[in-house]
Amino acid sequence: MTFVFAIVIPLFFLSISFVLYKTVRHITEYKMHYVSLLLFAVASAVAFSMFKVLTGEFGSFVWAGIYEFCQTWFLYFLFAFSAVYCSSRFAKIRVRILFIFLAIVDSIIILFNFAHPVFFTVQNFFIAPGVSSFVIEPGYLFYVHYTFIMIFIITSLIISCEHFIKTESVRKIKYLFLFIFLILMTFAYTFELFVFNHASVSSLFTFISGFFCYLSGFRVPRYITSKIISYVQENSNDAIICFDIAGHIVFKNSQADRIINGKKFPKRFSPEFLFDFFRQNWSKDMESAEWTCLLELDSKISWFDVSYRKVYKIDEFIGSFFKFRDVTVIHDEREEQKYNASHDPLTGILNRNGFLEEVDRVVAENPFCSYVMVCSNIKDFKLINSIFGKEAGNRVLVKIADLLKKNAHKTSIYGRISDDKFALLAEKESFTEDIFYQKLDKIQLVIENPVYRITFKIGIYEFKGTSESAEILIDKAVLALKTEKSPSMFSYFDRKLMEQIVKEKYLLNTFENQLMQKKFSLVFKPVSSRDGKIKGAKCSALWNDQKEKFSTTFVVNTLDKTGLIYKLDSAVWEEAFRTLSARKDLPEDFFVNLHISEKDFYYMDVPPFFAELSSRYGVSPSMVNIGVPEKILSKNFEKISENCLALKKAGFRILIEDFGSDYSSLNMLKNFSADIIEVDVRYFYENGNGKKASVILKSVARLAQSLGMTVIFSGVANDELLSLTDASGNVFFDGEYFSRPVSFEKLEKTFASGRQ
């Protein structure tokens, strides 16, 4: 017997030490109970060994008491471990306090036994002739101790049994070893109590408790984790192939089988084979690699992201794996997003960004090729939408795109670069104007109206081996179609236009500084009655640059394109008010017409600005007529109408400039609150039909006067133009026939001398 314990006890301590080492490395709540359980198991083993080895009765009695004390706490911590490990409701602190109380009561009984042996005694028991050892002889309180012990064991058994039954099959093994161990513990303590208490069978299970708990706490969770990982890998959408250190396949999931069988790989292959198959560089020292490939599987083309990794355990190389991730959906979505980002949704051809990108690429790849950049524009496209509806306008755009698709050369690039503008990059040798004349007539059929003619303007820029960006190429073609005065559909960017661009850049670069220095002067075009008596004047500005001579029209158009016109307009207005404040010989009913641009309404608050100028310079608002071009009223009628109404309330008069030049003049008279209309007689007489022009002009004058408006006929340069107008009523004139624009000083002198 002593020999058996001499072998078993060291082995037990070694196993306990190993388990303790494993446990304390990653401590958790249930492992805390596990450590306590093992400590009391160790103490129980030591006490039981001393109890069996000693030959003295008193020593055996003391160690037997220590053994029973350790057994009580060993079984309590077995209960606590089971409750926490199984996440049972018994793990609640209030329940555990009750069981701690039972363990404390049992411990007190055991300690009381040292003074009054009513719990147990020890007696010598002969195992064989000449062989004996001390055994525990139960007293009448011993069964109370066993009752507490059985409460701990049976409660633990119920906890493990409940979770073993309820848990899904894949995780039953988590509770299996604990459940088996507790069944055997229950059997052992029952056998020891009711059958043969001298056997001390329970002590044997104390020795092996560490092993069972180690299985439950360490080996089983690892097994479950490996099973879950294996299940995840097997059911993953990614194909996984694992190799050992020798390059042999040790694992592959069903997705990997799909690739292997689909590509008819050999039954045995190495990582090097996969690298060769996908035409990737291979090296044994390679730690990782990634690439994207295209595979045909099950008669379907799929995109895969392939990754290769070596696997290490600490610093030891143990294998490698390949992962194939199907990214077909992501690739298709990315391609769709890329397509949507570069293509026009209405016409299906390239949009501005896509066209610019393609042009930059093609021009860079062919530096010695001659190209033409062609930009088209539909004149008055907004009118098509207004008259025939937006759907008709869209059909026109789609038809243009279809013609480009069918007739553009295969090397050409085309796209819709803005609302009604299309652009084409073509090799010069493949481009002819005739194709446009032949095909564009088909677009007329879209609106199904033979009366209304769709008019195109096409700008062309020829270049070779340029370093200019696609943006600049388009700008030059657009500039050609905007500036060419020829009646031809086509206009080319030439040296003259280049000089204009240079002038525009110079003006813009020097504008701010020149404006601060007031490098402009005001001129006044007299507004007279038919007999030449001056009633007012139209104010405009001359730009006085020492290096370049700019026309007023050029300055206004350039600044208007860049949004700087509001700065010039505000400066002109202030100078006009200052000039009027210094007037000497002008009557009180004299008026000045000041022009206002569309962008003025967006970049500044116009009504308060005019009111402040009137107050600062002491000029009556009734002396100032604010001229609004008719063409800008159709673009943002509500905003401009609201501002003009505020100006009228402040005392200023509103003048509609270039009345009749747009397509909604009569509608304007009905909806827009104006005091004066200005009609350019040259616009109505440009085709030389004086009789019709006279009828229209006189009708307009009578209509305006019946609405309480003053009429100014502008652009009267000779007797013939003057004869077209009606002088009756509240009608005034301006033009070279009466006077050219003059300075304010000259205007005053003319007025003072009484000359006409």
Side-chain angles (χ1 to χ4, degrees):
M1 189 67 176
T2 303
F3 174 75
V4 172
F5 278 103
I7 295 175
V8 172
I9 294 303
L11 292 176
F12 173 71
F13 277 109
L14 286 174
S15 64
I16 291 298
S17 301
F18 173 73
V19 172
L20 284 174
Y21 166 72
K22 285 286 189 179
T23 303
V24 298
R25 289 175 64 192
H26 302 94
I27 201 70
T28 59
E29 185 181 4
Y30 84 85
K31 289 181 180 180
M32 287 287 291
H33 297 300
Y34 182 32
V35 170
S36 301
L37 179 151
L38 291 178
L39 290 175
F40 278 101
V42 170
S44 296
V46 172
F48 186 78
S49 301
M50 296 301 294
F51 165 63
K52 287 297 183 180
V53 171
L54 293 178
T55 56
E57 182 178 349
F58 178 75
S60 296
F61 176 75
V62 171
W63 283 109
I66 296 173
Y67 167 71
E68 295 295 346
F69 176 86
C70 293
Q71 279 283 291
T72 298
W73 288 101
F74 163 75
L75 293 174
Y76 163 74
F77 282 111
L78 179 62
F79 153 75
F81 170 80
S82 302
V84 175
Y85 180 73
C86 298
S87 301
S88 169
R89 57 185 178 276
F90 288 95
K92 294 180 179 179
I93 190 64
R94 288 177 294 181
V95 178
R96 281 190 279 169
I97 288 175
L98 174 62
F99 280 81
I100 290 174
F101 174 76
L102 295 179
I104 292 173
V105 171
D106 193 48
S107 300
I108 293 173
I109 294 174
I110 294 172
L111 294 175
F112 180 76
N113 188 70
F114 287 115
H116 302 282
V118 294
F119 175 34
F120 70 86
T121 58
V122 296
Q123 65 179 18
N124 202 8
F125 178 74
F126 286 93
I127 301 171
V131 180
S132 66
S133 68
F134 284 97
V135 296
I136 295 174
E137 186 67 29
Y140 64 88
L141 287 181
F142 189 80
Y143 299 100
V144 176
H145 166 66
Y146 258 73
T147 301
F148 291 158
I149 286 176
M150 295 307 293
I151 289 174
F152 293 143
I153 295 175
I154 293 174
T155 305
S156 302
L157 180 62
I158 292 172
I159 291 171
S160 62
C161 178
E162 178 185 10
H163 283 75
F164 178 75
I165 294 172
K166 290 183 177 180
T167 304
E168 61 276 9
S169 58
V170 72
R171 301 186 74 237
K172 283 186 184 294
I173 194 170
K174 176 179 179 180
Y175 308 105
L176 177 63
F177 290 104
L178 181 62
F179 180 51
I180 293 174
F181 174 70
L182 289 170
I183 290 176
L184 295 176
M185 284 283 288
T186 304
F187 170 77
Y189 276 90
T190 304
F191 177 81
E192 186 174 296
L193 179 63
F194 295 106
V195 179
F196 188 48
N197 65 340
H198 298 310
S200 296
V201 179
S202 61
S203 61
L204 176 62
F205 287 95
T206 303
F207 292 154
I208 63 175
S209 61
F211 173 71
F212 276 97
C213 290
Y214 174 73
L215 289 177
S216 299
F218 295 95
R219 300 306 301 175
V220 170
R222 289 181 181 177
Y223 172 78
I224 294 174
T225 301
S226 64
K227 277 290 185 181
I228 293 173
I229 293 173
S230 176
Y231 179 81
V232 169
Q233 291 175 339
E234 184 62 34
N235 292 274
S236 172
N237 291 327
D238 298 338
I240 300 173
I241 306 175
C242 300
F243 296 88
D244 61 15
I245 192 173
H248 300 146
I249 297 176
V250 294
F251 174 82
K252 55 183 174 63
N253 60 6
S254 57
Q255 293 294 334
D257 285 332
R258 176 170 167 258
I259 294 176
I260 292 171
N261 297 332
K263 305 310 296 181
K264 297 181 179 180
F265 289 169
K267 291 184 178 180
R268 295 180 181 180
F269 57 87
S270 65
E272 186 176 0
F273 169 82
L274 290 179
F275 274 91
D276 289 340
F277 179 83
F278 292 107
R279 298 179 181 178
Q280 300 293 319
N281 294 326
W282 159 256
S283 170
K284 289 185 177 181
D285 298 329
M286 183 182 294
E287 296 292 327
S288 63
E290 293 181 353
W291 65 86
T292 300
C293 65
L294 192 64
L295 294 177
E296 183 178 356
L297 301 174
D298 304 327
S299 301
K300 180 183 176 183
I301 301 296
S302 300
W303 287 90
F304 286 88
D305 280 347
V306 184
S307 59
Y308 165 79
R309 295 286 186 278
K310 281 186 176 181
V311 182
Y312 292 87
K313 184 177 181 181
I314 308 178
D315 293 329
E316 181 185 359
F317 171 60
I318 59 174
S320 60
F321 71 91
F322 283 85
K323 182 170 71 174
F324 295 77
R325 172 160 293 179
D326 191 336
V327 294
T328 305
V329 174
I330 298 174
H331 179 271
D332 292 346
E333 288 178 352
R334 190 183 298 126
E335 289 298 312
E336 183 179 359
Q337 291 173 357
K338 185 178 178 181
Y339 179 88
N340 292 336
S342 61
H343 285 72
D344 176 48
L346 176 64
T347 61
I349 62 176
L350 292 171
N351 59 18
R352 185 178 185 87
N353 292 334
F355 181 75
L356 293 175
E357 185 177 335
E358 282 297 301
V359 169
D360 284 333
R361 180 186 63 80
V362 170
V363 172
E365 291 176 355
N366 303 276
F368 303 107
C369 185
S370 295
Y371 290 101
V372 290
M373 175 62 73
V374 183
C375 288
S376 69
N377 181 52
I378 303 174
K379 185 178 180 181
D380 302 319
F381 180 73
K382 290 183 179 179
L383 188 59
I384 297 176
N385 286 334
S386 300
I387 297 175
F388 304 103
K390 190 173 182 179
E391 290 185 0
N394 287 342
R395 289 198 300 271
V396 170
L397 298 175
V398 171
K399 185 64 176 178
I400 296 172
D402 288 341
L403 289 175
L404 287 171
K405 292 176 185 177
K406 294 176 181 178
N407 298 284
H409 193 268
K410 62 181 180 179
T411 60
S412 300
I413 303 169
Y414 49 86
R416 181 187 175 197
I417 58 175
S418 65
D419 293 340
D420 61 328
K421 285 186 177 64
F422 290 80
L424 168 73
L425 178 75
E427 294 180 358
K428 187 176 179 179
E429 60 183 18
S430 67
F431 174 76
T432 60
E433 295 180 2
D434 294 340
I435 191 171
F436 287 90
Y437 285 115
Q438 296 169 6
K439 302 297 181 182
L440 290 180
D441 283 342
K442 295 183 179 180
I443 299 174
Q444 183 67 41
L445 303 176
V446 174
I447 60 173
E448 301 175 351
N449 190 312
V451 177
Y452 185 90
R453 297 294 299 173
I454 300 177
T455 305
F456 284 89
K457 195 67 179 174
I458 297 175
I460 302 172
Y461 173 54
E462 298 179 353
F463 64 94
K464 178 181 180 180
T466 182
S467 60
E468 295 172 324
S469 67
E471 284 277 10
I472 296 177
L473 300 177
I474 291 175
D475 287 344
K476 289 184 176 181
V478 170
L479 185 62
L481 69 86
K482 284 185 176 181
T483 56
E484 179 61 49
K485 302 299 182 182
S486 170
S488 170
M489 180 191 301
F490 297 92
S491 55
Y492 286 79
F493 183 89
D494 55 16
R495 187 172 182 179
K496 185 178 178 181
L497 292 180
M498 178 62 76
E499 291 174 354
Q500 181 177 334
I501 293 175
V502 172
K503 288 176 66 176
E504 286 181 352
K505 288 186 176 180
Y506 172 76
L507 174 62
L508 295 174
N509 290 336
T510 61
F511 171 71
E512 297 283 355
N513 186 48
Q514 299 273 38
L515 187 64
M516 289 178 61
Q517 299 178 32
K518 292 189 177 180
K519 294 289 186 178
F520 66 90
S521 58
L522 300 186
V523 291
F524 296 83
K525 182 190 293 185
V527 178
S528 310
S529 60
R530 193 180 186 90
D531 58 6
K533 291 182 179 180
I534 299 175
K535 299 295 183 180
K538 183 175 183 178
C539 178
S540 58
L542 293 179
W543 195 255
N544 302 320
D545 188 278
Q546 295 178 352
K547 182 179 178 181
E548 292 283 352
K549 187 176 181 179
F550 299 119
S551 68
T552 300
T553 302
F554 176 81
V555 172
V556 170
N557 290 341
T558 302
L559 296 179
D560 188 64
K561 286 191 297 185
T562 57
L564 295 173
I565 189 64
Y566 80 97
K567 293 187 176 183
L568 177 61
D569 283 347
S570 59
V572 169
W573 299 339
E574 183 168 1
E575 186 64 19
F577 272 86
R578 190 193 63 78
T579 302
L580 286 174
S581 68
R583 68 190 183 279
K584 298 177 181 179
D585 300 319
L586 296 178
E588 292 297 329
D589 61 349
F590 184 84
F591 61 83
V592 171
N593 297 341
L594 295 178
H595 171 78
I596 192 167
S597 304
E598 179 185 6
K599 291 184 173 63
D600 295 337
F601 292 105
Y602 297 98
Y603 288 98
M604 57 192 302
D605 197 352
V606 174
F609 187 83
F610 271 97
E612 195 275 331
L613 290 178
S614 176
S615 175
R616 188 197 314 170
Y617 292 103
V619 176
S620 173
S622 62
M623 293 187 68
V624 179
N625 300 330
I626 299 176
V628 181
E630 184 191 44
K631 64 181 180 181
I632 73 171
L633 290 172
S634 60
K635 296 181 179 179
N636 196 339
F637 180 81
E638 291 184 4
K639 182 179 182 66
I640 296 174
S641 180
E642 180 183 345
N643 277 269
C644 289
L645 187 60
L647 288 167
K648 282 177 65 67
K649 289 181 179 180
F652 298 97
R653 288 182 295 183
I654 304 300
L655 180 150
I656 300 179
E657 296 178 343
D658 299 325
F659 182 82
S661 62
D662 205 37
Y663 298 92
S664 53
S665 300
L666 296 179
N667 202 35
M668 288 297 170
L669 292 180
K670 178 173 70 73
N671 297 323
F672 187 70
S673 180
D675 303 289
I676 308 167
I677 62 171
E678 179 190 75
V679 182
D680 192 331
V681 296
R682 293 168 298 184
Y683 176 78
F684 293 91
Y685 190 64
E686 61 183 4
N687 293 324
N689 194 330
K691 186 176 180 179
K692 288 185 178 181
S694 179
V695 172
I696 295 172
L697 290 171
K698 291 176 181 179
S699 299
V700 169
R702 288 194 295 270
L703 176 62
Q705 290 178 49
S706 66
L707 294 174
M709 298 180 184
T710 300
V711 177
I712 299 176
F713 289 113
S714 67
V716 180
N718 50 50
D719 286 320
E720 186 179 9
L721 292 176
L722 180 62
S723 65
L724 302 177
T725 63
D726 186 356
S728 62
N730 200 13
V731 177
F732 302 117
F733 303 85
D734 75 44
E736 293 185 3
Y737 179 81
F738 294 91
S739 174
R740 292 189 177 187
V742 296
S743 66
F744 192 76
E745 290 78 9
K746 188 173 182 179
L747 184 67
E748 279 193 304
K749 289 178 181 180
T750 303
F751 223 93
S753 64
R755 289 180 295 164
Q756 297 180 6

